[in-house]
Amino acid sequence: MGLRDLNLKLKAFRLRRFLIGVSGRNKKRNGETKKKPSWMVPISHGYHVVGDNSFRGGGSDESDSDSVVVQREQIEEIELWFFGVFDAQIGDGVTKYMQSHFFDRNLKESQIRRKSKETMRKAYLGARAKVREAQKEDETWRVGSASAMVINGEKLVIANMGDYRAVVCRDGVAHQISSGPTGHQQTAKRHWTRRLFSGVKHSKGTELSVKAEKIDSDTEFVLIASTGIWEVMKNQEAVNLVSHMEDPQEAAECLAKEALTRMSRSKISCLVIRFD
């Protein structure tokens, strides 16, 4: 079955949901689909984006809105999920690269496991380079995106760039990858500085971090969110807020609502992935 791009144009963001069915070669002769191996970890997800941050000044612009991406593909016995929250400048570049260099390549299981992290890195670097070229005369440009790939419920590949962030909750504790020493815990002073001087931007905000790790019994869920969440909440605060919620959709909505309550002044987009 070919790729179905279900673009849902909502008021303040674009959701791209790619749901890819089992290809013909993976079906039994009687037309029934092979059963998913019992050892695969059930995965559920939910997302929420604030429709209008008009208090930021001037309202929201759909052309500058985030893209929430959910893609599923099954190849033989391999189940792949790709989740992401991307800003408007970089989203298309990352998703198109992943599609053409990974999901459409009919890779073998060993290749999928081996190439996932490097392909994710190249997708981000390539998209960032294009934005940099387009904005070469603007020294204040920055982009933000975060994503996660889940392979057979066993392997997790996460990436984040700029002020967007992917945080993994393991046994109630928040974990985040970072290329800098302050990435794991940003101080309240930095949060308030960004809020008071929201117009000031720096190119170092385009730093990229990519990591691959095993999903085990302690891995509970992943939070992927834009700047609007993280400028008013620390990693552990966000995890504590939703750790008791079994419904990822409820959790995503709760995070967005709390960010609004705390007067977040940036785009609020969040996606929650649970491993049940």
Side-chain angles (χ1 to χ4, degrees):
M1 183 181 296
L3 177 66
R4 292 188 300 160
D5 186 348
L6 306 182
N7 285 336
L8 305 180
K9 288 192 176 180
L10 301 183
K11 186 173 182 181
F13 79 110
R14 300 184 301 277
L15 165 68
R16 288 197 181 86
R17 177 187 291 271
F18 302 99
L19 296 180
I20 304 180
V22 183
S23 62
R25 66 177 182 278
N26 296 329
K27 296 182 180 179
K28 295 182 179 179
R29 291 185 178 180
N30 61 8
E32 295 180 357
T33 303
K34 288 183 179 179
K35 291 184 179 180
K36 187 169 67 173
S38 59
W39 47 262
M40 283 190 180
V41 177
I43 298 171
S44 58
H45 66 276
Y47 61 87
H48 189 74
V49 176
V50 173
D52 184 8
N53 269 0
S54 57
F55 59 82
R56 293 166 52 199
S60 58
D61 183 357
E62 184 177 353
S63 64
D64 191 40
S65 60
D66 285 341
S67 292
V68 176
V69 175
V70 177
Q71 177 174 343
R72 179 188 179 276
E73 184 167 343
Q74 189 165 327
I75 305 173
E76 298 296 340
E77 299 298 321
I78 298 294
E79 181 185 56
L80 299 174
W81 282 95
F82 181 64
F83 304 92
V85 175
F86 303 100
D87 73 15
Q89 296 185 83
I90 200 172
D92 284 345
V94 173
T95 54
K96 287 179 180 179
Y97 187 96
M98 292 299 298
Q99 195 64 46
S100 61
H101 291 79
F102 195 82
F103 295 108
D104 287 345
R105 294 289 298 276
N106 294 323
L107 301 175
K108 297 180 180 180
E109 179 176 354
S110 60
Q111 294 175 307
I112 289 174
R113 294 181 181 277
R114 188 175 68 253
K115 293 178 177 293
S116 55
K117 179 181 176 181
E118 187 59 26
T119 303
M120 183 95 78
R121 183 187 301 278
K122 289 180 178 179
Y124 272 81
L125 293 177
R128 186 179 68 178
K130 290 181 180 179
V131 175
R132 178 178 293 168
E133 177 64 22
Q135 303 291 336
K136 58 185 178 181
E137 295 182 0
D138 183 2
E139 297 298 328
T140 65
W141 72 274
R142 70 192 302 159
V143 293
S145 296
S147 59
M149 184 189 301
V150 181
I151 303 173
N152 265 2
E154 296 179 316
K155 182 177 180 180
L156 177 66
V157 182
I158 51 180
N160 46 240
M161 177 184 288
D163 294 325
Y164 285 48
R165 196 178 304 172
V167 173
V168 183
C169 174
R170 296 193 197 88
D171 198 21
V173 179
H175 299 268
Q176 183 218 340
I177 58 171
S178 174
S179 58
T182 61
H184 182 65
Q185 291 185 343
Q186 293 181 320
T187 63
K189 180 179 179 180
R190 180 179 175 185
H191 289 160
W192 282 104
T193 300
R194 184 178 299 135
R195 290 174 60 184
L196 292 173
F197 303 99
S198 58
V200 179
K201 299 180 181 180
H202 303 283
S203 60
K204 67 179 181 180
T206 64
E207 292 178 348
L208 169 66
S209 297
V210 184
K211 183 179 181 180
E213 55 191 53
K214 182 180 179 181
I215 297 173
D216 55 28
S217 59
D218 290 334
T219 309
E220 300 176 53
F221 57 88
V222 178
L223 304 180
I224 304 176
S226 61
T227 312
I229 298 292
W230 307 119
E231 74 176 10
V232 295
M233 273 183 265
K234 294 181 180 179
N235 297 344
Q236 193 62 50
E237 282 183 296
V239 164
N240 292 344
L241 184 65
V242 301
S243 60
H244 65 287
M245 299 180 180
E246 295 183 359
D247 182 357
Q249 182 60 40
E250 179 186 1
E253 293 173 3
C254 179
L255 280 170
K257 182 178 180 180
E258 180 64 18
L260 281 176
T261 300
R262 298 189 183 197
M263 299 298 292
S264 174
R265 297 180 60 84
S266 299
K267 290 182 291 185
I268 300 174
S269 307
C270 53
L271 195 156
V272 179
I273 310 159
R274 285 203 69 95
F275 306 101
D276 303 314

